């Protein structure tokens, strides 16, 4: 158990941030799965812009790494181009 008052506060902050990051990362994964199931190209194009914005925000907040966000956006753009 922590002995310092600041350590106790750090533990509380870390736990709340961990839960928030888990929620945001799960939301991102769910949105990506939903995007991959879209078959209409116009709907997918609008969804891709929303998804790109979400990935940029998560990278900015360090929930995911900036390179991971870039890789995911690239992969999703390729997926969009392969939709008939």
């Amino acid at each position: 158990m922590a002995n310092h008052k600041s350590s106790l506060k750090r533990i509380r902050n870390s736990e709340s941030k961990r839960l928030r990051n888990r929620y945001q990362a799960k939301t991102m994964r769910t949105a990506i799965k939903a995007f991959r199931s879209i078959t209409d190209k116009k709907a997918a194009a609008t969804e891709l812009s929303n998804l790109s914005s979400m990935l940029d925000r998560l990278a900015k907040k360090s929930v995911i790494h900036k390179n991971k966000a870039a890789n995911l956006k690239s992969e999703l753009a390729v997926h969009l181009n392969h939709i008939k």
Side-chain angles (χ1 to χ4, degrees), residues 16-68:
S16 62
K17 287 178 184 178
R18 182 185 74 85
L19 291 174
R20 186 179 315 121
N21 289 343
R22 280 184 62 194
Y23 171 77
Q24 290 174 338
K26 181 65 177 173
T27 303
M28 174 197 66
R29 289 193 303 270
T30 305
I32 289 172
K33 286 177 187 173
F35 174 78
R36 288 189 175 136
S37 67
I38 296 174
T39 55
D40 180 36
K41 194 160 189 162
K42 279 193 174 190
T46 58
E47 187 61 32
L48 180 63
S49 66
N50 295 337
L51 202 49
S52 295
S53 174
M54 175 192 287
L55 290 169
D56 287 335
R57 273 184 276 129
L58 292 176
K60 182 179 174 184
K61 295 180 192 175
S62 297
V63 175
I64 59 173
H65 195 271
K66 62 178 182 150
N67 291 351
K68 180 180 175 83

